[in-house]
Amino acid sequence: MAHELTKIDGLALANDGAWHGMGTVVKGAMNPFSALRIAGLEWEVEQSDAITGVFNAGEQDEYRVSTDSAKVLLRSDTKTVLGVVGPDYQPFQNAQLAELAYGLRSAADGTVEVETAGSIRGGRRVWMLLRGKTVEFGAPGDETVPYLFLANGHDGSLALKAIPTGIRVVCSNTFHLALGARRNAMSFRHTLNLNTRVEELAKCIKNWENTIEKGATVARTLAKTPVTRQQVQDLWVDVVQRLDGPVPQSPKNGWEERRRERAVAGLAHAARVFDAESQQFGANLWVAANAMTNWIQHSRAEESVRTKDNAVRTYAAWDGTVADDVATALDAAVELVA
């Protein structure tokens, strides 16, 4: 299943349902502890002291070997295995994630609420998405809802992360504030001192606010910069080449032909978006940059995320190379501002 929601996963959403029709929709935003309950995240991660392996089970020469150099993580309610980790690994429980979200909410004077919360892969991944105040970006009416994505892994392959991200309401084009979400992410490994270091995450709310303001400032600067059609096309070609290398003018093989076809398709996609949005917001550098990020997230991402569903691509973009590619496009636009 593309959504990766299993029968033992839960999902809570504020106001609007999800594309896959699953989860529980509630009226209004949730506080973190309500979200924890509604999303079915009130279970804990249990850990073994050691691992015992059974060899030649049922045979006459059956034997067992134990080791304390690794341990098994279990989901407390279903007793399903979440992962096998090293001896120093320390779980960061779902309840702690809610407490962290509540602390960030308090730091923002109660203006931050939980937009969505849930788990995927049977609980191996959990998250809470905090929603901030709507911010006007670029031009009047061009609004963005800033989010702070709190993600955690329970299988040993994902650190605790706090990642600023956002969705541009005008065209539903997700982009990552302040030149890319991953650049502003905070990441914490699951080690013995994780709980004490969580206090550092209190800084997230300040960093988030600074990121939003910085992103808004950049957007407004770009929106005030008019561009000609030639400048727009030069920007798009520059971004395509930064991402995929020089566009082959005379392809010599199938690989170069595909690269050229993707570049041409990307430029055509950006042109359609630009023509539509420039009618409302004007022919400026902000609209030109967003036309390219639209291609990156809505078409180019299909090759890496392997799905045509926008919601799935958006989720993958939170912690994938798509975020870096969006940052590359915005970097190129910012460099054109004198």
Side-chain angles (χ1 to χ4, degrees):
M1 297 176 289
H3 48 70
E4 295 190 285
L5 282 162
T6 71
K7 293 181 180 180
I8 59 174
D9 284 310
L11 174 63
L13 310 102
N15 298 316
D16 299 316
W19 61 272
H20 44 64
M22 302 178 71
T24 301
V25 180
V26 298
K27 184 178 180 180
M30 302 163 279
N31 69 61
F33 301 107
S34 294
L36 194 75
R37 174 179 52 81
I38 297 170
L41 296 176
E42 293 182 310
W43 46 268
E44 294 186 344
V45 177
E46 299 178 345
Q47 51 187 329
S48 66
D49 293 327
I51 293 179
T52 299
V54 180
F55 295 85
N56 301 326
E59 302 295 331
Q60 186 174 3
D61 59 345
E62 175 183 318
Y63 65 97
R64 303 186 178 196
V65 175
S66 297
T67 176
D68 59 1
S69 62
K71 55 188 177 183
V72 177
L73 302 179
L74 293 181
R75 178 170 166 163
S76 63
D77 57 346
T78 62
K79 303 304 180 185
T80 52
V81 175
L82 297 172
V84 177
V85 297
D88 295 331
Y89 182 94
Q90 291 296 313
F92 188 74
Q93 303 290 355
N94 298 336
Q96 292 176 285
L97 190 67
E99 291 171 0
L100 171 61
Y102 185 81
L104 296 177
R105 176 177 179 268
S106 299
D109 297 325
T111 59
V112 173
E113 299 287 356
V114 177
E115 180 76 7
T116 69
S119 67
I120 58 174
R121 303 182 190 177
R124 292 172 177 82
R125 295 282 190 277
V126 299
W127 83 89
M128 284 193 176
L129 185 66
L130 308 185
R131 175 186 177 126
K133 294 180 180 178
T134 299
V135 178
E136 190 171 84
F137 271 55
D142 189 7
E143 297 180 330
T144 291
V145 178
Y147 292 102
L148 185 65
F149 181 55
L150 302 179
N152 190 32
H154 289 317
D155 62 356
S157 63
L158 178 67
L160 171 64
K161 294 187 177 183
I163 308 173
T165 187
I167 297 177
R168 186 166 182 256
V169 177
V170 172
C171 67
S172 296
N173 177 30
T174 300
F175 75 101
H176 297 264
L177 301 176
L179 313 185
R182 296 179 75 187
R183 298 183 180 188
N184 298 286
M186 295 185 71
S187 182
F188 296 83
R189 296 177 59 191
H190 290 257
T191 55
L192 289 173
N193 65 343
L194 173 61
N195 291 336
T196 59
R197 293 185 63 203
V198 166
E199 294 181 2
E200 297 177 31
L201 278 168
K203 299 176 183 177
C204 275
I205 195 67
K206 189 62 178 179
N207 292 340
W208 187 23
E209 292 172 344
N210 291 340
T211 293
I212 294 170
E213 183 55 38
K214 180 180 178 181
T217 299
V218 169
R220 291 165 189 153
T221 300
L222 295 179
K224 293 177 181 178
T225 306
V227 288
T228 65
R229 193 74 184 190
Q230 185 60 53
Q231 290 174 320
V232 171
Q233 292 175 348
D234 289 344
L235 168 65
W236 294 342
V237 171
D238 180 29
V239 172
V240 168
Q241 294 189 141
R242 292 189 189 199
L243 296 177
D244 298 324
V247 179
Q249 298 303 310
S250 300
K252 299 179 181 179
N253 51 51
W255 171 249
E256 290 189 351
E257 183 64 34
R258 286 190 294 273
R259 282 176 53 199
R260 180 176 174 79
E261 289 176 355
R262 182 162 75 168
V264 172
L267 295 174
H269 180 111
R272 290 192 296 271
V273 174
F274 180 81
D275 289 341
E277 294 200 355
S278 61
Q279 295 297 316
Q280 182 177 2
F281 301 112
N284 57 63
L285 199 50
W286 172 246
V287 174
N290 273 280
M292 181 53 58
T293 62
N294 187 290
W295 166 64
I296 291 172
Q297 294 179 321
H298 290 263
S299 293
R300 190 174 184 274
E302 291 180 10
E303 298 183 16
S304 58
V305 181
R306 297 183 180 180
T307 176
K308 293 183 179 181
D309 191 280
N310 181 59
V312 178
R313 289 198 303 273
T314 298
Y315 180 84
W318 281 328
D319 191 36
T321 58
V322 177
D324 289 336
D325 294 342
V326 168
T328 296
L330 293 175
D331 281 345
V334 170
E335 291 172 10
L336 295 179
V337 179

PDB file of all heavy atoms in Angstrom, residues 11 22 50 79 108 133 159 179 185 214 216 228 243 259 308:
ATOM      1  N   LEU A  11      -4.384   7.152  12.643  1.00  0.00           N
ATOM      2  CA  LEU A  11      -4.204   8.450  12.012  1.00  0.00           C
ATOM      3  C   LEU A  11      -5.291   9.396  12.491  1.00  0.00           C
ATOM      4  O   LEU A  11      -6.473   9.045  12.498  1.00  0.00           O
ATOM      5  CB  LEU A  11      -4.275   8.310  10.486  1.00  0.00           C
ATOM      6  CG  LEU A  11      -4.239   9.588   9.659  1.00  0.00           C
ATOM      7  CD1 LEU A  11      -2.924  10.336   9.856  1.00  0.00           C
ATOM      8  CD2 LEU A  11      -4.464   9.272   8.184  1.00  0.00           C
ATOM      9  N   MET A  22      -8.590   7.091   4.931  1.00  0.00           N
ATOM     10  CA  MET A  22      -8.395   6.417   6.205  1.00  0.00           C
ATOM     11  C   MET A  22      -8.179   7.441   7.324  1.00  0.00           C
ATOM     12  O   MET A  22      -7.963   8.616   7.067  1.00  0.00           O
ATOM     13  CB  MET A  22      -7.205   5.452   6.116  1.00  0.00           C
ATOM     14  CG  MET A  22      -7.353   4.408   5.027  1.00  0.00           C
ATOM     15  SD  MET A  22      -5.917   3.320   4.881  1.00  0.00           S
ATOM     16  CE  MET A  22      -6.085   2.360   6.391  1.00  0.00           C
ATOM     17  N   ALA A  50      18.436  -8.897  25.916  1.00  0.00           N
ATOM     18  CA  ALA A  50      19.365  -9.590  25.028  1.00  0.00           C
ATOM     19  C   ALA A  50      18.569 -10.301  23.947  1.00  0.00           C
ATOM     20  O   ALA A  50      17.338 -10.324  23.968  1.00  0.00           O
ATOM     21  CB  ALA A  50      20.216 -10.595  25.817  1.00  0.00           C
ATOM     22  N   LYS A  79       2.639  -6.608  20.595  1.00  0.00           N
ATOM     23  CA  LYS A  79       3.820  -7.456  20.758  1.00  0.00           C
ATOM     24  C   LYS A  79       4.486  -7.763  19.421  1.00  0.00           C
ATOM     25  O   LYS A  79       5.200  -8.756  19.290  1.00  0.00           O
ATOM     26  CB  LYS A  79       3.453  -8.768  21.466  1.00  0.00           C
ATOM     27  CG  LYS A  79       2.800  -8.565  22.831  1.00  0.00           C
ATOM     28  CD  LYS A  79       3.658  -7.720  23.772  1.00  0.00           C
ATOM     29  CE  LYS A  79       2.986  -7.539  25.128  1.00  0.00           C
ATOM     30  NZ  LYS A  79       3.740  -6.629  26.032  1.00  0.00           N
ATOM     31  N   ALA A 108       4.717  28.802  22.041  1.00  0.00           N
ATOM     32  CA  ALA A 108       4.140  29.679  21.022  1.00  0.00           C
ATOM     33  C   ALA A 108       2.847  30.315  21.508  1.00  0.00           C
ATOM     34  O   ALA A 108       2.015  30.742  20.703  1.00  0.00           O
ATOM     35  CB  ALA A 108       3.868  28.881  19.751  1.00  0.00           C
ATOM     36  N   LYS A 133       0.517  29.834  12.566  1.00  0.00           N
ATOM     37  CA  LYS A 133      -0.351  30.845  11.969  1.00  0.00           C
ATOM     38  C   LYS A 133      -0.083  30.949  10.473  1.00  0.00           C
ATOM     39  O   LYS A 133       1.050  30.825  10.018  1.00  0.00           O
ATOM     40  CB  LYS A 133      -0.094  32.212  12.618  1.00  0.00           C
ATOM     41  CG  LYS A 133      -0.469  32.297  14.089  1.00  0.00           C
ATOM     42  CD  LYS A 133      -0.175  33.697  14.611  1.00  0.00           C
ATOM     43  CE  LYS A 133      -0.533  33.839  16.082  1.00  0.00           C
ATOM     44  NZ  LYS A 133      -0.201  35.188  16.598  1.00  0.00           N
ATOM     45  N   ALA A 159      16.236   8.876  13.283  1.00  0.00           N
ATOM     46  CA  ALA A 159      16.418   9.660  14.498  1.00  0.00           C
ATOM     47  C   ALA A 159      15.177  10.506  14.761  1.00  0.00           C
ATOM     48  O   ALA A 159      14.311  10.662  13.888  1.00  0.00           O
ATOM     49  CB  ALA A 159      17.644  10.560  14.358  1.00  0.00           C
ATOM     50  N   LEU A 179      14.650  28.133   2.309  1.00  0.00           N
ATOM     51  CA  LEU A 179      15.543  27.452   1.374  1.00  0.00           C
ATOM     52  C   LEU A 179      15.752  25.969   1.684  1.00  0.00           C
ATOM     53  O   LEU A 179      16.865  25.463   1.545  1.00  0.00           O
ATOM     54  CB  LEU A 179      16.900  28.167   1.312  1.00  0.00           C
ATOM     55  CG  LEU A 179      16.814  29.677   1.176  1.00  0.00           C
ATOM     56  CD1 LEU A 179      18.204  30.270   1.009  1.00  0.00           C
ATOM     57  CD2 LEU A 179      15.936  30.073   0.009  1.00  0.00           C
ATOM     58  N   ALA A 185      16.438  21.450   9.819  1.00  0.00           N
ATOM     59  CA  ALA A 185      15.972  20.377  10.680  1.00  0.00           C
ATOM     60  C   ALA A 185      16.889  20.191  11.884  1.00  0.00           C
ATOM     61  O   ALA A 185      18.089  20.452  11.816  1.00  0.00           O
ATOM     62  CB  ALA A 185      15.900  19.071   9.887  1.00  0.00           C
ATOM     63  N   LYS A 214      12.174  34.418   7.961  1.00  0.00           N
ATOM     64  CA  LYS A 214      13.202  34.476   6.930  1.00  0.00           C
ATOM     65  C   LYS A 214      12.625  34.060   5.583  1.00  0.00           C
ATOM     66  O   LYS A 214      12.894  34.685   4.554  1.00  0.00           O
ATOM     67  CB  LYS A 214      14.372  33.554   7.302  1.00  0.00           C
ATOM     68  CG  LYS A 214      15.500  33.559   6.273  1.00  0.00           C
ATOM     69  CD  LYS A 214      16.632  32.625   6.695  1.00  0.00           C
ATOM     70  CE  LYS A 214      17.729  32.595   5.640  1.00  0.00           C
ATOM     71  NZ  LYS A 214      18.823  31.665   6.024  1.00  0.00           N
ATOM     72  N   ALA A 216       9.511  34.245   4.650  1.00  0.00           N
ATOM     73  CA  ALA A 216       8.606  35.273   4.175  1.00  0.00           C
ATOM     74  C   ALA A 216       9.371  36.448   3.581  1.00  0.00           C
ATOM     75  O   ALA A 216       8.989  37.015   2.555  1.00  0.00           O
ATOM     76  CB  ALA A 216       7.717  35.741   5.319  1.00  0.00           C
ATOM     77  N   THR A 228      11.863  39.149 -16.976  1.00  0.00           N
ATOM     78  CA  THR A 228      11.452  38.990 -18.364  1.00  0.00           C
ATOM     79  C   THR A 228      11.302  37.502 -18.662  1.00  0.00           C
ATOM     80  O   THR A 228      11.749  36.647 -17.893  1.00  0.00           O
ATOM     81  CB  THR A 228      12.491  39.592 -19.316  1.00  0.00           C
ATOM     82  OG1 THR A 228      13.722  38.827 -19.201  1.00  0.00           O
ATOM     83  CG2 THR A 228      12.767  41.044 -18.975  1.00  0.00           C
ATOM     84  N   LEU A 243      20.432  20.286 -11.062  1.00  0.00           N
ATOM     85  CA  LEU A 243      19.871  19.034 -10.554  1.00  0.00           C
ATOM     86  C   LEU A 243      20.342  17.822 -11.341  1.00  0.00           C
ATOM     87  O   LEU A 243      20.655  16.776 -10.756  1.00  0.00           O
ATOM     88  CB  LEU A 243      18.344  19.101 -10.591  1.00  0.00           C
ATOM     89  CG  LEU A 243      17.662  20.146  -9.707  1.00  0.00           C
ATOM     90  CD1 LEU A 243      16.157  20.122  -9.929  1.00  0.00           C
ATOM     91  CD2 LEU A 243      17.993  19.915  -8.240  1.00  0.00           C
ATOM     92  N   ARG A 259      17.411  12.052 -20.408  1.00  0.00           N
ATOM     93  CA  ARG A 259      17.730  13.277 -19.668  1.00  0.00           C
ATOM     94  C   ARG A 259      17.203  14.500 -20.397  1.00  0.00           C
ATOM     95  O   ARG A 259      16.653  15.425 -19.772  1.00  0.00           O
ATOM     96  CB  ARG A 259      19.240  13.387 -19.471  1.00  0.00           C
ATOM     97  CG  ARG A 259      19.789  12.499 -18.366  1.00  0.00           C
ATOM     98  CD  ARG A 259      21.295  12.602 -18.298  1.00  0.00           C
ATOM     99  NE  ARG A 259      21.741  13.985 -18.189  1.00  0.00           N
ATOM    100  CZ  ARG A 259      22.986  14.381 -18.478  1.00  0.00           C
ATOM    101  NH1 ARG A 259      23.883  13.496 -18.896  1.00  0.00           N
ATOM    102  NH2 ARG A 259      23.330  15.634 -18.341  1.00  0.00           N
ATOM    103  N   LYS A 308       2.096   8.558  -8.191  1.00  0.00           N
ATOM    104  CA  LYS A 308       1.532   9.752  -8.796  1.00  0.00           C
ATOM    105  C   LYS A 308       0.656  10.530  -7.826  1.00  0.00           C
ATOM    106  O   LYS A 308       0.098  11.554  -8.171  1.00  0.00           O
ATOM    107  CB  LYS A 308       0.714   9.367 -10.028  1.00  0.00           C
ATOM    108  CG  LYS A 308       1.563   8.810 -11.168  1.00  0.00           C
ATOM    109  CD  LYS A 308       0.717   8.525 -12.389  1.00  0.00           C
ATOM    110  CE  LYS A 308       1.590   7.990 -13.527  1.00  0.00           C
ATOM    111  NZ  LYS A 308       0.794   7.720 -14.741  1.00  0.00           N
TER     112      LYS A 308
END
